[in-house]
Amino acid sequence: MANVLATVDQRTKLVGENRLELLLFSINSTQLFAINVFKVKEVVKLPPLNAMPGSHPHIYGVANIRGISIPVIDLRSAIGFKPLPPDDDANMIITEYNRSVQGFLVGKVEHIINMTWSDIMPPPKTAGRNNYLTAITRIEHQGKSQLVSIIDVEKVLAEIIHYDIRLSEGVLDETLVHEMPGRKILIVDDSSTARRQVRETLSQLGIEIIEASDGLQALTLLQKWRDEGKQVSKELLMMITDAEMPEMDGYKLTSEVRGDKAMSDLYITLNTSLSGSFNHAMVEKVGCDKFISKFQPDLLVEVVQERLRQVINH
């Protein structure tokens, strides 16, 4: 399993082509689950763990990997299944989300599959708001068609780690406060948790938030406004989009917007839990105006204020 991610650094060309790779794994005997390879740093057999007294119930323990202490989350219990003792198939998936590293205790790790975002579907509406999925897809596995559930890791983490939306003293520019009410920002993210974090942060400023749960939904809305004769860049102060989403990712969404003369001047900020220099390169390639790694309320507000100053002074 150690070499399953050996070529992950060579896989970055898939992003921006509306493609993704999923790491498949099990946490029970009947279902397949997945997360995006780009958020995975390493997969290892479950190492010895140290207890962490007083920690969240879903924290199974702490692993020491090459001198670094990594909290290990029991993914099975975190998404609502009855916790079971790990067996010989137990693995730890080490991930980096929102500038922090954590491990997830899972069962057998299967393999990596290459897909297009158009093959990825939102969870059925009948699943309700409390499910832990951002998307589902279907693959051929062991000679039969099987459903794969893609975990909303941001929702899992938000229930374990408290994300404070309060702004630090001095971040809010008092000279702009009266300019903010009535301004509109489009948030595009497949994670309802991520949308809520941005919405609650910016709603403090009196800004009106419009939401879309994937890139295609956002593009359809923008095209509708365009066809109604509205000037998109006048309707919106900016669009804040995630990178990875079902049906159309944030890079492809940005590319589509930039390629349409009627809305090519829309200000676009990429807000993603994917980190690293790769995202900055993609921002330049597709033409985003800003890149923010999640979740940083102060920085988010500073970017909005910077954009507002541009609009006022234009």
Side-chain angles (χ1 to χ4, degrees), residues 26-29 44-47 60 74 76 83-92 105-109:
S26 61
I27 56 176
N28 59 30
S29 59
V44 297
K45 294 299 293 183
L46 184 65
Y60 195 75
D74 183 346
R76 184 160 39 201
L84 294 172
D87 55 23
D88 292 341
D89 284 335
N91 287 276
M92 183 172 75
L105 168 60
V106 301
K108 184 180 179 183
V109 174

Side-chain angles (χ1 to χ4, degrees), residues 9-10 13 120 152 161:
D9 289 336
Q10 300 166 23
K13 64 181 182 296
I120 310 297
D152 185 349
I161 305 165

Side-chain angles (χ1 to χ4, degrees), residues 85-99:
D87 55 23
D88 292 341
D89 284 335
N91 287 276
M92 183 172 75
I93 301 175
I94 303 173
T95 66
E96 183 174 0
Y97 280 82
N98 302 354
R99 307 175 323 284

